[in-house]
Amino acid sequence: MHRPTPVPPTVVLVHGAFTDASSWSKVIGPLRAAGLTVHAPANPLRGLAQDAACVRSLLRELGTPVVLVGHGYGGAVITQAADDTDQVVALCYAAAFGLDAGECVLDITNRFAPSALAGATVTTTLPSGADSEVSIHPERFRQLYADDLSPEAGQALAAAQRPMACGALTDRSGSPAWADKPSWYAIATADRMLNPAAQRFMAQRMAATEYVLDASHALPLSRPEAVVAMIREATGHATGTPGGV
């Protein structure tokens, strides 16, 4: 009697701060070509609880096993969104924040040598008591975020960047999903946004399978083939096919 072939999990890609779902544009096509269903929702960038709730809402709608993938701040979001759910079968981090219980983004960035980002941000005060927003100065964006992309691509990203609520930097994480789910981590060794030493620390803390890449923070755009390989390895692990789905 033949066992039924496991259904490949759905891949959900959660983008980080200062960008949108188009940051996954070079990853989506190869994953779909490999037979995977892919979703890349808009991350509101309003705060950890609210952003994680949006991802959880999508997971409920899908009703399938899921491999959750986070880039940058999106890693903090998937860490919280996937906690206490068997629906998420694996986590993938691309130069991303894998926070522990009670941690915030600033706890990690302040623990390691400061990046040049600290002197290149712009804070905007919003009316009606809404949380202030932070963005990267357009003239510094490519240097910090995507210096391994062409000047034209970097300028386009700078022009289209999405600010994040300042409170998202200090929101405390709940129990980390990576504590009991298999995890993968792509470390960007030329990252000027999130210190590579911080990335190594988080990857080792979660006992993740590591992919070490010579890449900027924009690695889903500059090294998409490696990010795709990592995600396919995670989906293969979930279905028991070591070569990846």
Side-chain angles (χ1 to χ4, degrees):
M1 182 175 179
H2 294 289
R3 286 185 171 183
T5 302
V7 177
T10 300
V11 177
V12 176
L13 307 167
V14 181
H15 67 80
F18 314 120
T19 188
D20 57 24
S22 67
S23 61
W24 297 110
S25 60
K26 293 185 178 181
V27 172
I28 294 171
L31 290 175
R32 288 172 58 90
L36 292 163
T37 300
V38 183
H39 292 268
N43 183 356
L45 306 179
R46 296 298 88 192
L48 195 50
Q50 180 177 338
D51 299 340
C54 287
V55 173
R56 286 196 199 99
S57 178
L58 173 61
L59 298 183
R60 287 193 293 269
E61 291 177 8
L62 293 174
T64 63
V66 169
V67 169
L68 265 182
V69 187
H71 175 225
Y73 165 73
V77 176
I78 69 168
T79 297
Q80 181 149 324
D83 181 44
D84 198 27
T85 172
D86 293 333
Q87 187 178 355
V88 176
V89 294
L91 300 165
C92 292
Y93 295 82
F97 288 92
L99 301 180
D100 204 348
E103 277 184 343
C104 68
V105 166
L106 288 185
D107 286 339
I108 293 295
T109 58
N110 291 338
R111 183 170 182 167
F112 297 87
S115 74
L117 179 64
T121 57
V122 178
T123 302
T124 304
T125 302
L126 301 180
S128 305
D131 193 3
S132 298
E133 293 182 334
V134 61
S135 58
I136 303 173
H137 196 289
E139 294 182 0
R140 300 286 305 280
F141 190 95
R142 177 175 176 261
Q143 175 194 16
L144 295 174
Y145 191 100
D147 70 346
D148 53 356
L149 297 179
S150 69
E152 294 77 16
Q155 290 164 7
L157 288 172
Q161 72 168 301
R162 289 184 53 211
M164 73 183 302
C166 291
L169 299 171
T170 55
D171 286 346
R172 300 288 171 181
S173 182
S175 298
W178 49 257
D180 57 9
K181 297 183 187 297
S183 301
W184 282 256
Y185 199 114
I187 298 168
T189 61
D191 196 331
R192 295 177 179 172
M193 296 278 293
L194 176 55
N195 191 319
Q199 296 180 43
R200 291 188 185 95
F201 164 76
M202 290 183 285
Q204 291 172 7
R205 181 171 65 178
M206 64 177 70
T209 300
E210 296 181 16
Y211 279 63
V212 180
L213 309 177
D214 180 14
S216 73
H217 193 66
L219 70 170
L221 289 168
S222 64
R223 294 293 307 278
E225 72 291 339
V227 175
V228 168
M230 175 181 70
I231 296 169
R232 290 191 63 186
E233 182 178 335
T235 61
H237 177 87
T239 57
T241 52
V245 177

